[in-house]
Amino acid sequence: MMAAKLKTAVLGATGYSGLELARLLGRHPRTDAPLLLRRSAEIETDGPAVGLPHISGNGYHGANGNSPIQPFSWSALEQRGVELLFLATPHAVSRELVTEAMTRGMITRGLRIVDLSGAWRLKQEQHRAVYGFKDANAQAAAQLTERAVYGLPELNADQIPSAALVANPGCYATSIILALAPLLSAGVVDCERGIISDSKSGVSGAGKEPTARTHFVSVADNFSAYSVFGHRHTGEILEQLALSSSQLIFTPHLLPIPRGILSTIYVYLKREMTADEVQACFHDFYKGKRWVRIFPAPSLPEIQFSVHTNYCDLGFCLARDGRRLVVVSCLDNLLKGAAGQAVQNMNLMYGWDEAEGLQ
């Protein structure tokens, strides 16, 4: 007898990450076609669109090729028997909804959540301050903050399977943490000399809501830095890598392309090393990790190699003095930086192979 398929829902299915999630879950071998939901605010903004015809085949929920999107309600989740809820919603919305799920007793009754926003990624108040959260139920929010697991499978695969709330990492943070974790774990980085990450992202990383910065005329034939010394992903990087703010300079840039991230990271090493030693450091750390590819030096990743995949590609160049190292990290901000990583987390939560539904 075939095992029952997991019942999932995606709230925020009309956004870029939500669309990718709907597509991935719709073809995943262990999940039912997801319940697609939108907030009332989205209905007012986007109009009365009833479905997503471009992500499904004939017969999806009996919709004849059109994936229906319903207004969000807790009763809709209960009626459908949803076991796992994906939140592809703004930070403040996720913060409010997860707290509400807890106070309603839905998490106690078995509902699990993967949140793609920044609402639950940060443990330290000094880092959360950038979001300006105003928690109506501070006690519940504090409990959830403590319980939330940072959903970076390559670092936290031992914690994710038992988690009720997984905080999916930020796209920039994923690219930088995965690039630095092997070196910092090995204790070879001279952190007191500082680490610099010069990161670039495609426009979809800014989300679907249009702004003056993301209009076509602002982005096309242009390249710009933004949020210098103030990007929201900085706190994630510092917390996950146990760095102080004085040890990292992270500058994001906007590329005139739809999707993809490239981070160029500059570090000083504590001792002279060979390229083979650095290569071994990365290979040893990511041995058996399905979604990290290590390029042989001096080959370097490019956005075109990882876009539309769940891979994070890593490569490096070592200076002749053996002390100055440049690491390049590339990924698709909508997949390994968002929806793909969310599905990877789901696979771990339910004891499935990390590659299921992502190949």
Side-chain angles (χ1 to χ4, degrees):
M1 188 162 81
M2 290 183 63
K5 291 191 173 184
L6 183 71
K7 294 186 182 299
T8 65
V10 179
L11 176 56
T14 60
Y16 295 139
S17 297
L19 281 169
E20 290 287 356
L21 260 176
R23 180 181 64 82
L24 292 171
L25 294 170
R27 71 183 192 188
H28 196 288
R30 294 182 183 267
T31 64
D32 270 343
L35 175 64
L36 304 181
L37 302 164
R38 65 195 315 193
R39 297 174 293 123
S40 57
E42 291 176 316
I43 295 173
E44 293 168 6
T45 302
D46 296 346
V50 294
L52 301 174
H54 55 299
I55 65 165
S56 62
N58 189 45
Y60 189 103
H61 288 334
N64 198 28
N66 190 36
S67 307
I69 305 176
Q70 303 178 25
F72 172 79
S73 70
W74 295 111
S75 60
L77 299 184
E78 292 174 324
Q79 289 169 12
R80 187 67 175 274
V82 169
E83 301 161 90
L84 178 63
L85 172 62
F86 291 92
L87 295 177
T89 46
H91 314 292
V93 173
S94 290
R95 189 86 176 174
E96 180 181 341
L97 287 174
V98 176
T99 304
E100 190 174 344
M102 182 180 182
T103 56
R104 284 173 171 265
M106 297 186 73
I107 294 177
T108 302
R109 294 196 296 273
L111 178 68
R112 304 175 80 181
I113 299 172
V114 176
D115 177 29
L116 277 71
S117 82
W120 306 103
R121 295 171 186 163
L122 299 164
K123 302 296 185 184
Q124 298 178 30
E125 173 59 35
Q126 63 182 11
H127 296 143
R128 282 199 307 276
V130 70
Y131 289 99
F133 295 130
K134 306 294 183 184
D135 296 315
N137 188 333
Q139 182 178 0
Q143 292 175 9
L144 287 164
T145 298
E146 184 63 29
R147 291 179 61 181
V149 173
Y150 191 76
L152 191 57
E154 288 75 19
L155 267 61
N156 296 326
D158 58 331
Q159 302 175 52
I160 293 168
S162 61
L165 172 59
V166 172
N168 218 58
C171 49
Y172 279 127
T174 297
S175 73
I176 297 167
I177 292 168
L178 291 178
L180 287 171
L183 301 168
L184 291 168
S185 177
V188 298
V189 177
D190 188 349
C191 295
E192 299 313 308
R193 296 193 68 174
I195 298 167
I196 296 173
S197 182
D198 179 35
S199 301
K200 304 95 177 169
S201 174
V203 186
S204 60
K208 187 178 179 181
E209 190 71 25
T211 67
R213 176 174 286 278
T214 59
H215 277 308
F216 176 80
V217 292
S218 300
V219 175
D221 300 320
N222 194 18
F223 181 51
S224 58
Y226 67 99
S227 297
V228 180
F229 290 118
H231 196 277
R232 289 168 170 171
H233 292 180
T234 305
E236 296 175 50
I237 302 164
L238 299 179
E239 287 191 15
Q240 295 302 313
L241 297 177
L243 295 171
S244 68
S245 59
S246 65
Q247 293 172 330
L248 175 71
I249 295 176
F250 161 47
T251 303
H253 300 75
L254 189 62
L255 282 171
I257 61 175
R259 59 201 293 169
I261 282 179
L262 186 150
S263 290
T264 306
I265 302 163
Y266 307 86
V267 302
Y268 287 95
L269 302 176
K270 289 182 177 178
R271 62 176 177 84
E272 186 175 329
M273 296 181 70
T274 66
D276 287 344
E277 287 178 304
V278 175
Q279 193 90 34
C281 181
F282 281 101
H283 277 289
D284 291 348
F285 192 87
Y286 289 120
K287 184 178 181 180
K289 301 301 182 183
R290 176 70 173 76
W291 293 114
V292 176
R293 296 188 296 200
I294 312 300
F295 281 45
S299 300
L300 293 175
E302 299 177 16
I303 285 176
Q304 64 177 336
F305 302 151
S306 56
V307 74
H308 299 296
T309 79
N310 195 54
Y311 287 111
C312 178
D313 289 340
L314 301 175
F316 69 90
C317 284
L318 183 65
R320 291 182 179 180
D321 60 17
R323 297 288 297 272
R324 292 171 295 148
L325 181 69
V326 174
V327 183
V328 175
S329 175
C330 286
L331 53 78
D332 187 319
N333 57 288
L334 296 180
L335 289 174
K336 183 56 176 169
Q341 187 143 260
V343 170
Q344 188 181 352
N345 279 317
M346 175 188 71
N347 288 340
L348 281 173
M349 292 168 79
Y350 291 93
W352 307 330
D353 187 287
E354 285 185 45
E356 290 214 53
L358 291 169
Q359 299 186 78

